[in-house]
């Protein structure tokens, strides 16, 4: 099962774009990249996922490199409410979350 | 409710006491997962249900941990003879099918004293 590597912490100024990197160099061709975030004292919240193509939704954009060995989650205009721990995970298409490793994520601090 | 509901939100247990943690998944969700999250760590898989069938319990740390989902909806995680190392947040997640995104509850914070 592919594992991910994320920086332990990042700061971002309020209103600026937050770019959170993730390395998943051992990802298999059919495994998806998922992003979750966890605000203090809450459960993880789904943000976005992708396979090969870049994806965008109302919360964020996901950029996956062509070789799929890394990705970047982009929060276009960070707010204080975006302060959270962000997890990048890899999930096989036919399997559920029992095969997923969350790791310790990136703690994003949005600064006023 | 609209989301995954867990109860209680907080539980303090004396060492050696049995506890039961409840998870109400989103209605109609087939898959249900339990995770344990230690302070400062990411969630770690405990067990997985598809409907009422427990298909994977490889993450349960000891035979003191037991989970059930008898009617394929509500699930209970039971911990017998609690120990201090069981102190953690226990998260439940559900998904419509196995290969779709999962939605998490707010968790139950268990403190064993």
């Amino acid at each position: 099962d592919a594992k991910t590597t994320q920086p332990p912490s990042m700061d971002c100024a309020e209103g600026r774009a937050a770019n959170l990197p993730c390395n998943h160099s051992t990802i298999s061709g059919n495994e998806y990249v998922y992003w979750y975030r966890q605000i203090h004292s809450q459960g993880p919240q789904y943000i976005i996922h992708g396979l090969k193509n870049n994806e965008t939704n109302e919360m964020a954009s996901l950029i996956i490199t062509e070789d799929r060995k890394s990705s970047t989650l982009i929060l276009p205009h960070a707010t204080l409410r975006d302060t959270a721990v962000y997890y990048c995970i890899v999930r096989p298409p036919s399997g559920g979350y029992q095969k997923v490793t969350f790791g310790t994520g990136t703690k994003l601090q949005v600064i006023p | 409710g609209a989301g995954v509901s867990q109860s209680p939100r907080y539980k303090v247990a004396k060492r050696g006491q049995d506890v039961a943690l409840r998870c109400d998944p989103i209605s109609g969700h087939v898959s249900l997962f339990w995770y344990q999250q230690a302070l400062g760590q990411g969630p770690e898989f405990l067990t997985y249900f598809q409907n009422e069938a427990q298909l994977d319990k490889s993450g349960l740390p000891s035979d003191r941990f037991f989970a059930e989902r008898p009617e394929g909806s509500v699930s209970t995680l039971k911990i017998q003879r609690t120990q201090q190392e069981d102190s953690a947040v226990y998260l439940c997640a559900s998904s419509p099918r196995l290969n779709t995104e999962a939605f998490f509850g707010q968790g139950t914070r268990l403190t064993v004293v």
Side-chain angles (χ1 to χ4, degrees):
Chain A
D1 303 325
K3 301 296 188 291
T4 61
T5 304
Q6 299 177 254
S9 63
M10 291 181 64
D11 290 341
C12 178
E14 187 177 19
R16 304 297 292 268
N19 298 284
L20 293 92
C22 179
N23 182 289
H24 32 79
S25 58
T26 60
I27 193 170
S28 298
N30 57 358
E31 290 181 315
Y32 286 81
V33 179
Y34 276 69
W35 283 83
Y36 280 79
R37 72 180 183 184
Q38 188 171 27
I39 296 170
H40 184 61
S41 295
Q42 296 185 21
Q45 175 192 21
Y46 167 79
I47 301 174
I48 197 168
H49 74 280
L51 181 63
K52 296 180 182 178
N53 300 321
N54 299 336
E55 302 288 343
T56 295
N57 63 20
E58 64 278 5
M59 289 183 67
S61 294
L62 174 60
I63 309 297
I64 302 174
T65 57
E66 192 169 342
D67 63 7
R68 301 205 334 115
K69 293 185 176 182
S70 65
S71 60
T72 300
L73 179 75
I74 301 172
L75 308 178
H77 306 286
T79 71
L80 298 179
R81 287 191 300 271
D82 293 323
T83 292
V85 177
Y86 288 75
Y87 294 101
C88 166
I89 63 174
V90 172
R91 187 185 69 75
S94 59
Y97 286 70
Q98 69 272 30
K99 299 297 185 184
V100 163
T101 301
F102 276 83
T104 52
T106 295
K107 187 172 185 178
L108 175 68
Q109 182 71 48
V110 180
I111 303 168
Chain B
V4 178
S5 177
Q6 292 188 246
S7 61
R9 283 295 316 276
Y10 304 93
K11 176 69 178 177
V12 178
K14 291 184 178 179
R15 191 168 52 183
Q17 186 179 357
D18 297 350
V19 299
L21 312 180
R22 177 187 171 106
C23 172
D24 283 82
I26 295 172
S27 179
H29 278 198
V30 169
S31 299
L32 186 145
F33 305 87
W34 282 98
Y35 288 84
Q36 181 188 59
Q37 185 172 26
L39 189 64
Q41 303 296 314
E44 293 197 358
F45 170 76
L46 292 176
T47 187
Y48 154 63
F49 290 85
Q50 186 161 323
N51 295 307
E52 69 279 2
Q54 188 176 19
L55 298 186
D56 189 334
K57 52 183 181 179
S58 62
L60 296 176
S62 78
D63 58 8
R64 297 185 294 105
F65 286 70
F66 172 77
E68 60 183 7
R69 194 186 185 198
E71 298 179 356
S73 55
V74 172
S75 178
T76 304
L77 177 67
K78 298 179 179 178
I79 309 173
Q80 297 177 324
R81 306 181 302 282
T82 52
Q83 304 294 317
Q84 274 196 311
E85 61 263 28
D86 300 336
S87 295
V89 174
Y90 290 86
L91 294 163
C92 174
S94 70
S95 64
R97 296 177 304 279
L98 181 60
N99 59 348
T100 55
E101 61 266 26
F103 299 89
F104 284 79
Q106 292 193 306
T108 294
R109 180 177 296 279
L110 172 66
T111 303
V112 181
V113 297

